[in-house]
Amino acid sequence: MTEMTFDRNDITHIVWDWNGTLLDDNHANLAAVNAVCAAFGRPPVELEYWRSVFRRPLVPCYEELLGRRFVDGEWERAERLYDAHYLEHLPSCSLSEGVPDVLHTWRDGGGSQSLLSMASHDHLVPLVSERGLTGHFERVEGRRFEAEQDSKAEHLVHHLDRQGIDPAKVVLIGDIDDDARAAREAGANAILVAGGLMARERLAATGAPVVDTPAAAVAALRAV
């Protein structure tokens, strides 16, 4: 894929992803995935394997993981199992390296920022508040509706529309290839962080710039 390039001087707003970007929750994700595996008779997986196969849409991803199609009610059961075990491990999740300092850095430099996650809105908002981060963002938004393609793209369009922001002045900082896809489809830009749920080579294949940490993403925006 052609490398995504953009004029960093034109970027005034960051849309941050949450899971795997600002929140270091890989171990909670893996524990939840392996709870699903156990319930469906599949041996547990290692993190690097999961980072090599995870993708959206989620249903075919999990069907590939389990080696069979879901029948009526099974996907809903898998979702409940995942959510329960993720929430069990969530208290042990810390903010990613450099957070929240990087949020101060961007705002102190005159930029604005918001948060958009594919986690459910009702789950996300109190969690961000509990971490003391709400005040950093112009808007905190989780998944409010089910998109046909199970992608962040449609959610990003709504997110920016509600704030009246020109997508060309926006960079989405996330940790999976769907973040790059969403930015591209919305007319925004993307930088991907390699510490989350997707292997670096898969991120690089999107053509978006890939960095190690959220702080490195902001540093790249400032390096003009």
Side-chain angles (χ1 to χ4, degrees), residues 1 12 41 49 58 66 68 92 96 99 106 128 159 171 179 218:
M1 183 175 291
T12 61
Y49 173 79
L58 291 179
L66 300 175
R68 68 175 181 83
S92 65
S96 297
V99 180
W106 181 251
V128 175
H159 183 73
V171 63
D179 291 308
V218 169

Side-chain angles (χ1 to χ4, degrees), residues 11 77 212:
I11 301 301
R77 177 190 173 209
D212 290 326

Side-chain angles (χ1 to χ4, degrees), residues 132-198:
L133 300 180
T134 304
H136 291 285
F137 305 113
E138 304 295 325
R139 188 177 188 90
V140 175
E141 199 159 25
R143 189 184 71 251
R144 295 178 180 269
F145 58 89
E146 298 302 324
E148 183 177 350
Q149 300 298 320
D150 189 24
S151 169
K152 187 178 280 185
E154 190 174 348
H155 299 272
L156 179 59
V157 170
H158 284 271
H159 183 73
L160 297 179
D161 281 349
R162 291 184 181 110
Q163 298 179 83
I165 298 174
D166 178 359
K169 298 182 179 298
V170 171
V171 63
L172 170 58
I173 301 179
D175 72 313
I176 67 171
D177 56 7
D178 185 61
D179 291 308
R181 171 190 174 187
R184 196 186 304 271
E185 292 188 10
N189 311 282
I191 297 178
L192 302 178
V193 178
L197 266 190
M198 194 163 281

